[in-house]
Amino acid sequence: LFFFSHSRTIFSQDNIASSFNYKSSGPNAICRHDTLAFTFNSNGKIVIRTKQIDAGSYDDQTPYEKLKFYFNKQSKSDSIEFWCDDFLFLLGDCDKRDLLNYTLYVEDEDQNIDSCNFTVNVNDQNSVCPFGGKFIRVELRTLKREFVNSRIRLLKDSVIIDEINASHGQAQVDGNFCRGEFDIIPYRNDDHLNGVTTADIIRVKNHILGTNRIINPYILLAADVNQSHSITGSDIAEMRKLILGIQSKFSRSPSWRFVPESYIFQDPSYPYLCPDKYHHIYNGTNNATNLNFIGYKIGDVNSTATSDVVNQESKTRAISTLLNGKIIETSDRILYQITCNEKIDFAGIQFCLQFDTDALEFVDYNSNLVGFNSDNFGFQKLDDGKILLSYDHVQGIEIESNHPIIC
């Protein structure tokens, strides 16, 4: 049972309000979750303000316009400023690069404080800072000073951190990079057959036999298609397989390789230990410019490869005008006889014979050429009506006009 006295106390809305002092639970700080990018202006300055970071912070007692926003608890500054000199020292760890983490503080009228974290990206895309922009400038050329299309890879601790395209043999990276050590490596691995013909096989054979030695270190590197640090019959075998379509690429090498132009071969007759990259130590101010490379096409020892696929024509020379095809029909088969239009002395021959698979079927071949056998044929595209042929003879062969070469 509850007992009450008869005296009364009348409560009104006014004295209830004055009797109880409600305390705020504190503000709720809300930051933008996306990474904001800020670029140096023409004066070399970046200013980040609290209102750019706030994403709807609130308090249950203090109105929004009376909330205080700041980045530093001591100074209570509502902005962050970056100048070019400041940015130089922010470029530290490559893993972090120019992504910077900060805290936004929100304070209400009762001095309650809440905070949230945010990330900004600070960059110099307009190359305003004196140490910014054009961090890397690379040029790639052949021995004939033709530009070479390629990709440029930037590696740190053997890990690719960036890759750019060197269109028409030139590449430039704008912006800033973290300080540290980098390897700059060109890489191209397309169209292995580009520039590789039977003429290259003949040249390599003559080198092996000692009748016409290769003395240019870059040509020696191009001839070492299997990367064995020597030039042997195995390199010739790979080249012929490529020509005949037995394989579509070299087994141990990309299609192009590169050597820093500044490199001096200690022994030009043994160039195989040459570097394939530039090693650059970047301290924030020493831009990597004039990093030029000499490119050589693997398997192309007579420098006929197309180096810039965008604006150069193929340099492969056609000799079809020297050959003539003659059809001889028998009771059960058709004989296609290939002869020369004129008397020639040749060291090698290469061509592709095409026929209609709906009307014809390849059965056999015959030839009086010295050393000619089935290894000189490529039958991988036979179902498409294509027969590839590559033949060479070191001493050369003289063929009379209209004399059958193969049938």
Side-chain angles (χ1 to χ4, degrees), residues 139-148 168-169 218 259 261 292-295 303 307 312:
E139 189 172 282
L140 312 171
R141 291 180 181 265
T142 66
L143 281 175
K144 299 167 68 175
R145 305 305 296 167
E146 296 173 340
F147 285 117
V148 184
H168 303 294
Y218 294 100
V259 178
E261 187 178 45
N292 301 331
F293 288 85
I294 298 294
S303 300
S307 57
Q312 291 190 16

Side-chain angles (χ1 to χ4, degrees), residues 106-121:
V106 181
E107 181 179 332
D108 65 12
E109 291 181 312
D110 295 324
Q111 297 184 331
N112 297 311
I113 299 174
D114 192 25
S115 64
C116 55
N117 298 321
F118 64 94
T119 302
V120 297
N121 172 280

Side-chain angles (χ1 to χ4, degrees), residues 272-288:
Y272 310 108
L273 302 180
C274 64
D276 62 352
K277 61 188 176 185
Y278 272 110
H279 186 72
H280 182 67
I281 301 176
Y282 182 57
N283 61 17
T285 59
N286 58 332
N287 292 339

Side-chain angles (χ1 to χ4, degrees), residues 17-88:
S18 60
S19 300
F20 296 95
N21 183 17
Y22 183 80
K23 185 173 179 63
S24 170
S25 61
N28 287 281
I30 303 175
C31 292
R32 291 184 58 168
H33 295 295
D34 55 329
T35 299
L36 298 176
F38 294 89
T39 302
F40 283 96
N41 61 25
S42 58
N43 296 320
K45 183 180 180 181
I46 289 175
V47 179
I48 303 174
R49 302 194 181 279
T50 55
K51 297 302 182 181
Q52 294 174 285
I53 305 302
D54 176 53
S57 303
Y58 65 92
D59 184 85
D60 57 355
Q61 290 294 304
T62 303
Y64 180 81
E65 61 272 12
K66 292 186 177 182
L67 291 174
K68 297 179 180 179
F69 297 86
Y70 48 85
F71 295 123
N72 187 298
K73 272 190 173 183
Q74 283 70 41
S75 65
K76 296 193 175 181
S77 172
D78 65 349
S79 65
I80 301 173
E81 293 185 357
F82 291 100
W83 294 87
C84 286
D85 290 340
D86 300 322
F87 187 43
L88 172 61

Side-chain angles (χ1 to χ4, degrees), residues 37 47 61 105 124 129 132 136 213 245 281 323 329 348 352:
V47 179
Q61 290 294 304
Y105 297 96
D124 185 26
C129 297
I136 290 177
R213 300 287 292 178
I281 301 176
L323 301 179
E329 294 190 32
C352 173

Side-chain angles (χ1 to χ4, degrees), residues 268-322:
S269 67
Y270 192 85
Y272 310 108
L273 302 180
C274 64
D276 62 352
K277 61 188 176 185
Y278 272 110
H279 186 72
H280 182 67
I281 301 176
Y282 182 57
N283 61 17
T285 59
N286 58 332
N287 292 339
T289 58
N290 300 321
L291 301 184
N292 301 331
F293 288 85
I294 298 294
Y296 56 93
K297 172 64 180 62
I298 296 297
D300 177 26
V301 298
N302 58 4
S303 300
T304 60
T306 300
S307 57
D308 186 342
V309 296
V310 175
N311 64 3
Q312 291 190 16
E313 297 179 356
S314 173
K315 299 181 180 64
T316 302
R317 292 170 293 179
I319 60 168
S320 58
T321 55
L322 296 176

Side-chain angles (χ1 to χ4, degrees), residues 209-223:
L209 296 173
T211 56
N212 186 9
R213 300 287 292 178
I214 298 173
I215 59 174
N216 187 304
Y218 294 100
I219 301 301
L220 287 172
L221 290 168

